[in-house]
Amino acid sequence: MLLQLPEVIPISVGGMCFTTRLSTLQRYEDTMLAAMFSGRHHIPTDAEGRYFIDRDGTYFGDILNFLRCGELPHQNRVKMVYKEAQYYSIGPLLDLLDKMQPLTGEKVRQAFLDLMPYYKDHLERIIEIGKLRAMQRKARFAKLKVCVFKEEMPITPYECPQFNALRFERSESESKHFEHHCDVDVSFGPWEAVADVYDLLHCIVSDLSDRGITVEHQCIGVCDKHLVNHYYCKRPIYEFKITWW
């Protein structure tokens, strides 16, 4: 038998108290909240008789506001509300938040980073090398050399890219003369996209900052390694300074 639930529902979400109508919680039938308050399941209550959800309630008010009247959160709350909407399986809210900043921008950004499947691993390598150097030297900061280059081959006055293409055409035997590893700690590139070196540097610094890591960077020159004949590697080299405390 279905449980008889009151028309007005008192809820405690991780200790934060809310009150709403049963019809609000059941607005979208394919959601976790609609299932919980369908009368088919036992819902624990706290000492005051409020239905208890063991979840941080900071953004639950945003969830209720959407269920009540379709109100969407402010931009600075979108990312966290999106996580809550995922937890409560509120598809219509997820669809709308997907079209809002910063989530839309993050999808565009990720489409660029997907061109470099090694990106996350190299980011971890920057962190690990920086940590080890600082610990070995008992220093507050550590410096690394990072190469970030967009083109696969060095550019010289003797060759031009094909129209609307980013790669240079060479035979396989010729290409082997240009294969080398710059003398750096970590290297990113090449990639084929409109986004340039500065866009990738912005991604690296932003992602490190999101991890709570303070980092500064500056270009300190180019690789300049001689390859063959008049060709020299012109990949830019950046010095990353990570400050740990």
Side-chain angles (χ1 to χ4, degrees), residues 190-208:
W191 65 86
E192 293 188 8
V194 174
D196 61 20
V197 167
Y198 299 103
D199 296 316
L200 183 57
L201 286 169
H202 181 272
C203 291
I204 296 170
V205 173
S206 295
D207 288 339
L208 290 174

Side-chain angles (χ1 to χ4, degrees), residues 84-143:
E84 296 306 297
Q86 286 180 313
Y87 178 77
Y88 294 110
S89 301
I90 306 175
L93 177 54
L94 290 171
D95 291 341
L96 291 171
L97 294 178
D98 263 333
K99 301 173 184 176
M100 295 178 62
Q101 286 286 62
L103 295 181
T104 300
E106 288 187 355
K107 286 188 174 181
V108 175
R109 178 181 185 269
Q110 190 57 49
F112 165 52
L113 293 179
D114 285 344
L115 296 174
M116 290 158 280
Y118 53 80
Y119 176 79
K120 289 184 178 179
D121 289 339
H122 285 202
L123 204 67
E124 293 298 328
R125 181 169 172 77
I126 288 175
I127 296 172
E128 188 63 23
I129 292 174
K131 181 182 71 173
L132 289 175
R133 285 188 181 165
M135 292 177 67
Q136 289 171 352
R137 300 173 183 179
K138 309 300 186 292
R140 182 185 174 197
F141 62 86
K143 293 182 178 180

